[in-house]
């Protein structure tokens, strides 16, 4: 037979060279073919004949290749270490291979990386694949302890009461628990190095095993991996089915691009493309071609395709029909009756217990598919991108239980040139739109070597998140397939929705079942327990399941806010197009009458006079070093006590400049590039739950540190604790003074880190002095031109972030960057003082006293207000009263100096009296008018004169 890489070798000079063994070249060519793709870093593509991705292959061959590699890893590690190992596969091509390796290993739980963010699942890590068309990988285990070595291995560590000790014991064992990383090819080692480096920083261990079908590294790459292993102090082994090298002539990238362009130019229009084209071109009629290790090519349909629609998710089976061309073809939906509790794959983890339950269910599922196939003799089970294992096991069961010739492959995101030549690995391709609402937006997807391959039935297997109208559209995958086969079946596997079971729970080991990986199925399997399974039953679940909501990515400057894009990501929606402003007096009356919540509208932005702007600049000059010192102190405290890699989450809007400054300090002093996001929290309404879900999907909640500017009486501190407890579905225990302490919070720590804590409400602060923070002196013009947040039911839906406006028209008055740069310039000046203060704070008693809350309650009663919400303590809160609300009067500590210059100016402008008092725990307190009617402003309630 013609080698399926000869076309590329003849035109580009790319060669595959074996490892020097007598049959090395032959084995390599049997395993791999070559194709071309448009990629700035690598023109060629190694196309595996046993992976089941681009080339349809017998499922027994695909699964067997992974099982054999897993057995070799088991032999390498020994039974004791194999019992503790965790297997990690790479998306998208190696998700099925990695799963098969885990099965061959016997008892290893399995996880694969993913490019699909999942709402509500915390990110446990990630890494980059530099040569790929889609580079970023996420790790989203349901149980965060999985990568840390926290996994059941047959013995329950104890009751729930012993949970902390059990988790600690499991985590301490992580350094000795091997991690097995599985990819389809090992070409340079860059991806593996990136993965190990990222994971070793968070989950260090002593041993890694890298598994691949082929090892194609150069001698220099091998030396680099050995040096890396020595650098991190870990053993790194490699297991591969075959090894060799790829020889690349000079200028291969340029020659490859020119060759691809020439092939594309020679093509004609059409969506089903077999040769040539990367954008959907077609060179002519489809032709049959042999597949690797073919039997009889079987019957095929030569009828042309057309724009045919297929029944959507609500269609009933069996035999929903669609017209294609002049013939009538059927698209039959098959209900697999997928076993309850079994994930659709390894995106969130897959345990040996899950595998045993799936083994029991597979024969019945295969029989249901076989019954729907009728008399089909040549069948393709077509998986979907990362969903490789479930369709592979289904195809293997179908192969065992029917007389049909069964092949298996999957669709892919990767664009590859198709050339209809026996010496080329990708003979045909189908192009269709993505149908799983991908996080990176719509785009084309591909199925290779399906058109023209002679299949008289195709079983399309997707998860329920991908069973969308796009799948059933006239240009969707089902319609594309109908042009090349007599019968299309659709099997939907329910998308697994994680519900976290702590790692200290009793292990989920089902009743013993025969292990297909041992030579004697009747012999005892040392890797399967007879213990009853408390979690997984023999019940099944329907294919119908709502796909998870995909939340938008954060807004960033300059499109939203005047801050640089790397300074902060806003987990908000842009409401700049909506009229939300109302006069201060109207808002006050509506708020106090109960007719509206303060977050349902915005005050008209205060435009500072020339006198006030001069005052701001003078205040910034006097206090910049003081602010820098507090920034350094709170940042160093966070790094010392909370986490070494914090994810800063500032509370819009006062917290955002502080979060940016903390991020700058961490980079300036420690070289850390900390993530920083801004979220909305609304008094009486809680924190934005969708923002929390986004954070949990992209970061470890334990690393999240909420940041605010200052505390007053502690209302937001209480609000956050209560909101996080509600987010987790639990209630935190209440203290005698009525303050909610940390309870359940979905892993988020409710303690806020603030620049100033005059109210004594938190443990993590830069200072407890009540002083002028210049960012409190203005509104949006010192906060990136972003408004305060808005929460209104007609604007913010159930799946939306809270809203805010970007005041682009105020750019001429913006001092946001000036404020940040002035404070940042003082970092070196205050460094020594910060170190001294942090050393003292770390050993001090910083238990919150809630002194401010007690003072507010006392002031409320003494002044006859009887509403703590109308008492705003501290310089920052008093400034807000004067800028946004209708003030009654200001209480100022006797002898307060320059910190109150701007307060005195604003009070004079608004006709608000200032009373000097003794024994005030704050520098000042602003009082909102307690019996407001429209037009009232001062203590006597007189009307505001028309301007």
């Amino acid at each position: 037979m013609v080698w399926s890489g000869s076309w590329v070798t003849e035109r580009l000079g790319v060669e595959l060279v074996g490892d020097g063994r007598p049959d090395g070249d032959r084995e390599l060519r049997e395993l791999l073919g070559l194709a071309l793709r448009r990629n700035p870093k690598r023109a060629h593509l190694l196309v595996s004949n046993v992976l089941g991705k681009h080339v349809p292959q017998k499922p027994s061959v695909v699964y067997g290749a992974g099982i054999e590699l897993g057995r070799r890893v088991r032999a390498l590690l020994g039974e004791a270490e194999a019992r503790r190992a965790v297997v990690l596969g790479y998306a998208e091509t190696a998700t099925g291979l990695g799963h098969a390796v885990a099965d061959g290993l016997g008892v290893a739980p399995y996880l694969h990386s993913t490019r699909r963010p999942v709402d509500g699942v915390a990110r446990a890590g990630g890494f980059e694949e530099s040569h790929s068309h889609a580079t970023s990988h996420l790790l989203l285990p349901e149980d965060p302890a999985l990568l840390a070595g926290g996994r059941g291995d047959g013995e329950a560590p104890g009751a729930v009461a012993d949970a902390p000790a059990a988790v600690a014991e499991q985590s301490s064992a992580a350094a000795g628990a091997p991690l097995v990383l599985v990819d389809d090819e090992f070409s340079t080692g860059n991806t593996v190095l990136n993965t190990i480096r990222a994971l070793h920083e968070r989950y260090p261990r002593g041993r890694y095993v890298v598994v691949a079908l082929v090892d194609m590294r150069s001698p220099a790459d091998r030396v680099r991996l050995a040096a890396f292993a020595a650098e991190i102090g870990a053993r790194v082994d490699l297991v591969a089915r075959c090894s060799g090298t790829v020889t690349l002539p000079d200028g291969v990238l340029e020659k490859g691009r020119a060759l691809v362009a020439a092939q594309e130019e020679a093509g004609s229009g059409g969506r089903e493309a077999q040769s040539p084209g990367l954008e959907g071109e077609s060179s002519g009629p489809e032709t049959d071609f042999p597949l690797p290790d073919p039997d009889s090519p079987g019957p095929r349909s030569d009828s042309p395709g057309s724009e045919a629609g297929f029944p959507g998710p609500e269609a009933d089976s069996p035999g929903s029909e669609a017209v294609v061309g002049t013939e009538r073809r059927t698209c039959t939906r098959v209900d697999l009756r997928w076993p309850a509790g079994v994930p659709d794959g390894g995106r969130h983890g897959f345990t040996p217990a899950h595998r045993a339950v799936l083994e029991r269910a597979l024969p019945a599922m295969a029989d249901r598919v076989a019954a729907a196939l009728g008399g089909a003799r040549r069948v393709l089970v077509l998986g979907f991108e990362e969903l490789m294992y479930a369709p592979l096991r289904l195809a293997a069961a179908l192969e065992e239980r029917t007389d049909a010739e069964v092949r298996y492959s999957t669709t892919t995101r990767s664009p590859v040139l198709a050339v209809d030549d026996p010496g080329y690995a990708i003979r045909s391709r189908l192009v269709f739109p993505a149908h799983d609402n991908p996080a990176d937006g719509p785009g084309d997807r591909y199925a290779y070597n399906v058109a023209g391959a002679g299949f008289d039935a195709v079983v399309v297997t997707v998860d329920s998140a991908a069973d969308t109208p796009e799948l059933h559209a006239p240009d969707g995958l089902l319609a594309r397939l109908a042009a090349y086969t007599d019968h299309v079946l659709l099997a939907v596997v329910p998308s697994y929705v994680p519900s976290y079971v702590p790692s200290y729970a009793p292990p989920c080991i089902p009743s013993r079942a025969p292990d297909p990986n041992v030579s004697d199925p009747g012999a005892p399997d040392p890797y399967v327990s007879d213990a009853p399974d408390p979690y997984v039953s023999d019940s099944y679940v329907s294919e119908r399941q709502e796909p998870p909501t995909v939340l938008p990515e954060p807004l960033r400057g300059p499109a939203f806010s005047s801050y640089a894009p790397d300074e902060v990501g806003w987990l908000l929606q842009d409401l700049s197009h909506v009229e939300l402003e109302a006069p201060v007096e109207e808002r006050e009356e509506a708020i106090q009458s109960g007719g509206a919540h303060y977050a349902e509208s915005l005050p008209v932005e205060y435009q500072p006079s020339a006198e006030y702007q001069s005052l701001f600049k003078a205040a910034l000059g006097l206090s910049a070093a003081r602010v820098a010192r507090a920034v350094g102190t709170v940042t160093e405290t966070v790094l010392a006590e909370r986490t070494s890699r914090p994810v800063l989450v500032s509370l819009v809007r006062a917290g955002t400049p502080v979060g940016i400054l903390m991020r700058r300090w961490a980079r300036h002093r420690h070289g850390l590039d900390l993530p920083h996001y801004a979220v909305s929290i609304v008094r009486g309404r809680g924190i934005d739950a969708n923002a929390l879900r986004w954070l949990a999907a992209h970061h470890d909640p334990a690393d999240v540190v909420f940041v605010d500017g200052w505390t007053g009486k502690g209302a937001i501190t209480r609000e956050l604790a209560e909101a996080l407890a509600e987010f987790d579905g639990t209630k935190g225990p209440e203290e005698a003074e009525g303050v909610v302490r940390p309870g359940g919070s979905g892993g988020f720590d409710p303690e806020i880190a603030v620049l100033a804590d005059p109210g004594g409400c938190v443990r993590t602060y830069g200072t407890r002095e009540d002083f002028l923070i210049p960012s409190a002196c203005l509104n949006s013009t010192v906060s990136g031109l972003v408004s305060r947040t808005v929460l209104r039911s007609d604007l913010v839906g159930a799946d939306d972030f809270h809203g805010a406006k970007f005041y682009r028209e105020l750019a001429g008055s913006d001092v946001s960057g000036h404020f940040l740069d002035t404070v940042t310039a003082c970092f070196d000046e205050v460094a020594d003082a910060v170190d001294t203060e942090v050393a003292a704070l770390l050993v001090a008693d910083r238990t919150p006293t809630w002194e401010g809350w007690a003072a507010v309650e006392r002031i409320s009663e003494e002044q006859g207000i009887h509403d703590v919400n109308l008492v705003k303590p501290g310089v920052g809160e008093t400034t807000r009263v004067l800028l946004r609300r209708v003030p009654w009067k200001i209480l100022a500590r006797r002898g307060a100096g320059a910190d109150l210059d701007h307060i005195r100016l604003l009070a004079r402008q608004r006709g608000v009296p200032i009373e000097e008092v003794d024994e005030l725990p704050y520098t000042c307190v602003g009082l909102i008018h307690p019996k407001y009617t429209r037009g009232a402003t001062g203590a006597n309630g007189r009307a505001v004169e028309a301007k």
Side-chain angles (χ1 to χ4, degrees):
M1 294 181 62
V2 178
W3 175 48
S4 62
S6 58
W7 191 93
V8 174
T9 296
E10 291 167 3
R11 288 160 177 80
L12 288 187
V14 176
E15 298 250 9
L16 301 187
V17 180
D19 56 7
R21 294 179 297 110
D23 292 333
D25 288 356
R26 178 185 59 79
E27 290 179 1
L28 204 58
R29 291 191 171 201
E30 287 179 352
L31 198 62
L32 297 174
L34 291 172
L36 296 178
R37 58 183 177 178
R38 187 192 293 123
N39 187 305
K41 298 180 181 179
R42 188 183 298 177
H44 69 282
L45 176 70
L46 301 178
V47 180
S48 173
N49 292 323
V50 299
L51 182 64
K53 174 56 71 171
H54 303 88
V55 178
Q57 181 56 275
K58 291 181 179 179
S60 55
V61 171
V62 177
Y63 190 54
I67 289 290
E68 178 58 31
L69 287 170
R71 290 172 176 165
R72 290 177 58 184
V73 175
R74 182 195 293 188
L76 173 68
L77 293 175
E79 289 195 4
E81 288 296 277
R83 283 184 172 275
R84 302 194 312 131
V86 176
V87 179
L88 174 63
Y90 286 87
E92 70 178 33
T93 53
T95 58
L97 177 64
H99 215 141
V101 169
D103 287 356
L105 195 56
V107 294
Y110 175 63
L111 176 74
H112 70 69
S113 66
T114 180
R115 296 188 176 101
R116 180 196 288 179
V118 178
D119 184 24
V121 183
R123 175 180 173 178
F127 50 89
E128 299 297 315
E129 184 179 4
S130 57
H131 67 272
S132 175
H133 63 284
T135 60
S136 296
H137 291 245
L138 301 173
L139 296 177
L140 305 177
E142 178 175 14
D143 184 349
L146 178 64
L147 288 171
R151 44 157 296 188
D153 55 4
E155 296 182 5
V160 173
D162 298 325
V167 172
E169 179 182 351
Q170 290 172 346
S171 297
S172 67
L179 181 65
V180 181
L181 300 105
V182 183
D183 206 354
D184 57 321
E185 65 178 79
F186 197 34
S187 52
T188 64
N190 288 335
T191 301
V192 167
L193 262 62
N194 288 340
T195 309
I196 296 178
R197 189 182 302 278
L199 292 177
H200 196 76
E201 181 178 348
R202 180 171 287 191
Y203 313 108
R205 64 189 73 231
R207 189 168 189 182
Y208 298 87
V209 180
V210 180
V211 181
L213 289 169
V214 290
D215 175 10
M216 306 297 285
R217 292 174 298 158
S218 68
D221 293 328
R222 296 172 188 271
V223 170
R224 186 158 54 93
L225 180 62
F228 172 74
E231 174 191 333
I232 65 172
R235 176 176 174 178
V236 181
D237 295 299
L238 189 130
V239 174
R241 173 168 172 166
C242 193
S243 61
T245 57
V246 181
T247 61
L248 302 174
D250 293 339
V252 68
L253 280 177
E254 292 75 13
K255 292 178 182 177
R257 281 195 289 266
L259 183 56
V260 168
Q263 291 293 316
E264 289 178 334
E265 187 176 353
S268 59
R271 291 290 290 177
E272 287 79 29
Q274 99 280 357
S275 168
L278 287 180
E279 301 300 331
E281 296 86 349
S282 176
S283 65
E286 302 289 349
T287 58
D288 282 326
F289 54 84
L291 297 171
D293 188 24
D295 295 324
S296 168
R300 68 181 299 273
S301 170
D302 294 309
S303 60
S306 71
E307 299 298 316
F310 278 81
E314 299 306 316
D316 293 325
S317 61
S320 300
E321 294 186 345
V323 177
V324 179
T326 58
E327 301 181 7
R328 182 172 296 276
R329 307 277 179 84
T330 59
C331 176
T332 304
R333 183 183 287 271
V334 181
D335 189 352
L336 293 176
R337 301 184 65 168
W338 186 262
V342 175
D344 51 288
R347 181 177 288 111
H348 307 299
F350 197 99
T351 68
H354 294 137
R355 172 189 161 212
V357 177
L358 179 61
E359 296 284 352
R360 293 199 297 266
L362 276 170
M365 288 194 287
D367 288 345
R368 292 185 190 97
V369 173
L373 284 171
R377 303 304 304 162
R378 196 157 192 269
V379 178
L380 173 68
V381 177
L382 184 65
F384 158 63
E385 296 185 27
E386 294 176 10
L387 187 75
M388 296 186 70
Y389 181 72
L392 172 60
R393 298 305 313 278
L394 183 65
L398 193 65
E399 184 181 24
E400 291 177 355
R401 300 178 70 82
T402 69
D403 294 331
E405 176 190 340
V406 180
R407 292 290 188 270
Y408 159 81
S409 65
T410 74
T411 65
T412 176
R413 299 167 64 104
S414 179
V416 185
L417 180 73
V419 177
D420 188 17
D421 187 285
Y424 190 81
I426 303 296
R427 302 286 300 280
S428 73
R429 73 175 198 167
L430 298 179
V431 187
F432 53 92
H435 53 88
D436 63 335
N437 298 314
D440 56 352
D444 284 342
R445 299 295 185 262
Y446 310 91
Y448 294 112
N449 290 327
V450 176
F455 297 112
D456 53 6
V458 177
V459 183
V460 179
T461 309
V462 302
D463 60 10
S464 56
D467 186 16
T468 63
E470 289 78 9
L471 176 67
H472 302 265
D475 63 344
L477 173 61
L478 299 180
R480 294 298 178 208
L481 290 169
Y484 303 100
T485 184
D486 292 321
H487 199 177
V488 177
L489 281 74
L490 177 62
V492 180
V493 180
S495 298
Y496 185 64
V497 180
S499 56
Y500 173 60
V501 176
S503 57
Y504 53 78
C508 184
I509 304 295
S511 301
R512 192 176 75 81
D515 185 356
N517 301 332
V518 297
S519 56
D520 180 6
D525 184 356
Y527 294 97
V528 179
S529 168
D530 287 313
D533 173 17
Y535 293 112
V536 182
S537 69
D538 289 327
S539 62
Y540 67 92
V541 289
S542 168
E543 66 187 41
R544 304 288 195 268
Q545 182 169 315
E546 290 297 320
T549 300
V550 178
L551 293 168
E553 290 302 296
L555 302 173
R556 295 186 182 272
F560 187 86
S561 89
S562 61
Y563 293 132
D566 63 324
E567 299 265 39
V568 60
W570 303 84
L571 294 175
L572 298 171
Q573 62 166 313
D574 188 355
L575 298 180
S576 300
H577 61 288
V578 182
E579 286 292 335
L580 293 167
E581 291 77 13
V584 171
E585 292 81 5
E586 291 181 11
R587 293 184 75 248
E588 193 65 47
E589 183 176 34
I591 292 168
Q592 290 202 31
S593 68
H597 190 277
Y598 77 89
E600 294 177 349
S601 64
L602 294 173
V604 177
E605 280 283 307
Y606 170 75
Q607 293 304 298
S609 64
E611 182 182 8
Y612 191 85
Q613 291 183 48
S614 297
L615 201 61
F616 168 80
K617 293 177 182 177
L620 179 57
L622 291 172
S623 62
R626 198 174 180 185
V627 173
R629 185 170 170 176
V631 167
T633 299
V634 68
T635 308
E636 295 294 343
T637 303
V638 166
L639 294 173
E641 292 188 334
R642 300 280 288 273
T643 171
S644 61
R645 300 285 299 188
V647 177
L648 303 177
V649 178
S650 58
L651 304 180
V652 180
R653 153 175 85 173
T656 305
V658 179
I660 294 175
L661 288 170
M662 291 177 66
R663 184 178 184 276
R664 288 188 177 191
W665 179 277
R667 184 172 55 191
H668 182 77
R669 287 293 303 273
H670 303 286
L672 297 176
D673 191 15
L674 303 182
H676 175 216
Y677 306 98
V679 304
S680 169
I681 187 169
V682 177
R683 180 172 52 81
R685 303 284 182 87
I687 197 167
D688 188 338
N690 286 323
L692 292 181
R693 293 186 184 99
W694 191 95
L695 290 167
H698 292 79
H699 300 282
D700 185 347
D703 288 337
V704 169
V705 176
F706 293 100
V707 174
D708 207 356
W710 56 85
T711 64
K713 54 183 174 287
I716 292 299
T717 306
R718 294 161 58 101
E719 189 78 43
L720 180 64
E722 292 169 353
L724 290 176
E726 182 179 353
F727 177 74
D728 191 40
T730 64
K731 264 190 167 182
E734 296 184 356
E735 304 290 335
E737 68 271 29
V739 177
V740 178
R741 301 299 189 188
S745 56
F748 292 104
D749 187 339
E751 184 180 357
I752 304 177
V754 299
L755 202 61
D757 179 35
C761 307
V762 299
R763 292 188 69 259
T764 308
Y765 52 82
T767 180
R768 276 188 167 158
E769 296 179 5
D770 183 20
F771 75 103
L772 170 62
I773 301 172
S775 59
C777 292
L778 297 167
N779 286 326
S780 68
T781 52
V782 78
S783 301
L785 298 181
V786 173
S787 74
R788 67 171 306 146
T789 58
V790 174
L791 179 57
R792 209 170 76 188
S793 59
D794 61 326
L795 297 174
V796 178
D799 297 323
D800 294 331
F801 294 139
H802 293 187
K805 298 185 73 166
F806 174 27
Y807 292 114
R808 299 170 178 83
E809 65 274 15
L810 300 182
S813 303
D814 188 24
V815 293
S816 305
H818 175 62
F819 167 69
L820 295 173
D821 294 343
T822 303
V823 175
T824 303
C826 298
F827 282 173
D828 289 333
E829 172 189 339
V830 302
D832 291 341
V834 167
D835 292 340
T836 301
E837 286 187 9
V838 171
L841 278 176
L842 293 180
V843 297
D845 181 6
R846 290 174 281 132
T847 304
T849 63
W850 296 92
E851 176 185 3
W853 188 271
V856 165
E857 290 181 327
R858 174 176 56 81
I859 292 169
S860 176
E861 295 305 311
E862 289 177 352
Q863 296 292 326
I865 296 176
H866 310 300
D867 184 352
V868 292
N869 289 325
L870 300 182
V871 180
K872 303 295 185 180
V875 177
E877 292 302 306
T878 302
T879 305
R880 286 178 167 186
V881 169
L882 290 163
L883 292 177
R884 305 178 190 169
R885 304 294 293 271
V886 174
W888 182 30
K889 58 184 172 183
I890 307 299
L891 305 180
R893 183 190 297 158
R894 197 177 306 279
D899 278 343
L900 295 190
D901 283 349
H902 76 294
I903 295 289
R904 296 185 184 98
L905 176 59
L906 287 174
R908 186 169 68 249
Q909 290 176 345
R910 298 204 62 183
V912 178
I914 298 179
E915 296 181 9
E916 291 194 345
V917 296
D918 297 314
E919 299 181 358
L920 194 65
Y922 299 93
T923 304
C924 62
V925 175
L927 304 179
I928 296 172
H929 198 290
K931 296 180 180 179
Y932 179 76
T933 58
R934 188 185 298 267
T937 182
N940 61 1
R942 67 180 184 272
V944 176
E945 294 180 1
K947 297 181 180 179

